[in-house]
Amino acid sequence: MSSTSDQGRRDFLKKAAAATTTVTLAPGVVLHTLQAQAEPRTTPVTDKVRWGMLIDTSKCVEGCNDCVEACDQENGLDLVNKPEGADDALWERQRPQWIRHVKLKDNMTGRITNLVMMCQHCEFPPCVDVCPTGASFKRADGIVMVDRHICIGCRYCMMACPYKARSFIHADVAEKLTRAPRGKGCVESCNFCVHRLDNGQTTTACQDACKHQAIVFGDLKDPDSPVSKALKAYPSVQIRDDLKLNTGVRYTNI
Amino acid sequence: MTGKRSITLLAILVSSLFFGLGTAHAGEGVEGTAKADKLTSCVEPTPVMRRRHFEFIEHQRDLTVHQGIRGSKHSLAGCVDCHARRDASGKPVPVNAEGEFCNTCHEYAAVEFDCFMCHSTVPGEK
Ligand code: SF4
Ligand code: SF4
């Protein structure tokens, strides 16, 4: 029985809760308690959690770029500028991208499917298999990342990834965010907004940005999480499931 | 305690080294504008920080990247947050800029460091 005023209040609370992460509230403001669990981690991540995502391709609207823009801002990708003198077309192909739009067309029926693709956070990640230094690794909670302190920029992982999920930083980056360090000569890819998760938040920027609710994120090992419930309720697929990588990102309505 | 007194003495000595360099211009850190300027001690006693800060940061980086531990007193973001000064207009000055906290010592000791090839040099968003 939610009245409109109730809804308004809820929206306000939602926005206010989101704001606590960006603004220091005045002392004594009650909204602090809303973010009670939003404390930075002090204990190691465990395999009791596996982060994953379900993307409903029927809800992903052609021409919409909201999730990509949100990702770019959250992870500072919009601060990476084209190196001086670089070719436009080359830059377009090589600039760092954590989320890509993919359009599938069934040649028989002509049906077109729009989907967004990022690192699929494979359980058996080929990028980790091929990495000569141990920089590519999988965290206990299933997030596949690059430890850029160790990465030598050989780009083996880029070749090995079946999903073209990884980007290479070709030139010095002038401005970086504290939450998203980045430098020349390393490889990077979607990390499920790991800084948010480690600071107690439970959503990714892309999920928050999608007005069409095409992205559901959560803990695959928690049967009550929205993502687990959605996976249980609807048929879903892994892209290139023939590779048997057991991806953490799944798709419906392909 | 004599330890504490000698730290204060040292701090005064060290800071007096950098006083009197003239008034700060835009982009130049103003004396006393870093959070650290208002504190008596770092996250560990000053002599320990001097000798071992890089070990702390390196150890913490592995814990953060691989285990997701963020709420630690040995985080590089914490160093930057506390030691970055502001210029006359209130804008934070990069900690590795000439004459700023990280730069002065590293320059003096001729030790190159790579943290800021990737990490932010001014206090973070969040
Ligand atoms: S999608 Fe690519 S980058 Fe991500 S875990 Fe799988 S192989 Fe690695
Ligand atoms: S580019 Fe870095 S993360 Fe990728 S395989 Fe080489 S060392 Fe490993």
Side-chain angles (χ1 to χ4, degrees), chain B residues 16-45:
Chain B
S16 65
L17 262 174
F18 305 115
F19 267 124
L21 291 178
T23 43
H25 302 286
E28 241 172 74
V30 177
E31 209 56 62
T33 49
K35 281 186 198 164
D37 295 337
K38 284 145 204 129
L39 302 172
T40 45
S41 155
C42 197
V43 291
E44 305 290 349

Side-chain angles (χ1 to χ4, degrees), chain A residues 125-212:
Chain A
C127 56
V128 175
D129 288 344
V130 300
C131 177
T133 64
S136 270
F137 72 102
K138 189 177 61 154
R139 265 187 13 162
D141 57 0
I143 300 180
V144 178
M145 313 206 304
V146 179
D147 182 345
R148 281 170 283 194
H149 302 106
I150 309 175
C151 174
I152 54 170
C154 68
R155 287 164 268 181
Y156 281 10
C157 56
M158 289 178 75
M159 302 299 288
C161 173
Y163 306 97
K164 204 181 173 182
R166 293 210 156 167
S167 303
F168 182 71
I169 304 299
H170 289 261
D172 281 323
V173 184
E175 201 186 332
K176 301 79 109 147
L177 299 175
T178 298
R179 59 175 179 251
R182 162 171 299 114
K184 177 180 170 181
C186 288
V187 160
E188 57 181 50
S189 52
C190 158
N191 56 23
F192 277 160
C193 290
V194 72
H195 55 278
R196 285 180 168 225
L197 303 176
D198 289 346
N199 283 311
Q201 283 181 273
T202 51
T203 61
T204 61
C206 55
Q207 168 196 29
D208 288 351
C210 181
K211 304 193 267 297
H212 309 283

